[in-house]
Amino acid sequence: MFDILMYLYESYWHPEACPEFGQLTRKLSAAGFENDEIHEALDWLRGLDSAVGGLKTQQAPSPHAIRLYAQQELDCLGLEAIGYLNFLESAGVLKPHLRELTIERALATGMQPLPLEHLKTILLMIFWRLDEEPDALILDELFVEADDRVVH
């Protein structure tokens, strides 16, 4: 599923450029993706569309609020991913409503624990779906693995 999501991110710069799901299914199949993976990815994207639609009805949390994670969220995300979300939030890149959307979409994968690289893919897809581009340093952080970074 995550290979398909990255393929979509890299192939369609804006979500409007992405074809409707029927045509997209055919294109993904022609690109060599398995039907099970395609259906899983498209179901996840439908959930993302639904969740993004619900963002307008969410009340913004107080700036003094502290996010506590439920056990199910801890099991799914793990400490490394939670630390990563906290890093992005403290850097001002990830607003609380996007953090909540990220957590919801991470839970929707059913993976426990979710690898950090998959969480980064989820974040990219959320920014992509909202047609927002994070600044270049954050994009670099989302794309380049820590082991591959060159320290200057």
Side-chain angles (χ1 to χ4, degrees), residues 137-151:
L137 291 175
I138 295 303
L139 272 177
D140 182 56
E141 174 66 30
L142 291 172
F143 272 112
V144 180
E145 293 195 36
D147 297 340
D148 296 338
R149 290 193 194 288
V150 176
V151 179

Side-chain angles (χ1 to χ4, degrees), residues 71-134:
Q71 189 61 50
Q72 179 185 14
E73 295 168 337
L74 289 169
D75 292 342
C76 175
L77 295 171
L79 295 178
E80 184 179 23
I82 290 172
Y84 189 74
L85 290 174
N86 288 338
F87 158 72
L88 291 176
E89 208 172 345
S90 67
V93 173
L94 192 65
K95 303 294 182 222
H97 67 286
L98 295 180
R99 177 199 60 221
E100 294 305 310
L101 180 56
T102 303
I103 294 168
E104 187 275 330
R105 291 288 74 210
L107 290 170
T109 68
M111 298 179 90
Q112 289 190 359
L114 182 72
L116 183 59
E117 295 311 309
H118 290 346
L119 179 73
K120 289 179 178 184
T121 300
I122 290 171
L123 285 161
L124 281 172
M125 291 308 295
I126 289 171
F127 284 121
W128 176 79
R129 174 57 183 84
L130 294 172
D131 206 13
E132 294 179 13
E133 187 171 323

Side-chain angles (χ1 to χ4, degrees), residues 22-98:
Q23 183 180 7
L24 182 58
T25 299
R26 291 187 294 280
K27 286 184 175 236
L28 292 171
S29 184
F33 292 107
E34 298 291 326
N35 282 337
D36 290 346
E37 288 181 304
I38 294 170
H39 292 295
E40 184 181 358
L42 294 183
D43 285 345
W44 189 90
L45 284 171
R46 283 185 191 96
L48 177 59
D49 286 344
S50 176
V52 164
L55 282 179
K56 297 174 180 85
T57 61
Q58 282 186 355
Q59 182 178 6
S62 162
H64 305 294
I66 297 174
R67 176 59 158 94
L68 300 177
Y69 290 86
Q71 189 61 50
Q72 179 185 14
E73 295 168 337
L74 289 169
D75 292 342
C76 175
L77 295 171
L79 295 178
E80 184 179 23
I82 290 172
Y84 189 74
L85 290 174
N86 288 338
F87 158 72
L88 291 176
E89 208 172 345
S90 67
V93 173
L94 192 65
K95 303 294 182 222
H97 67 286
L98 295 180

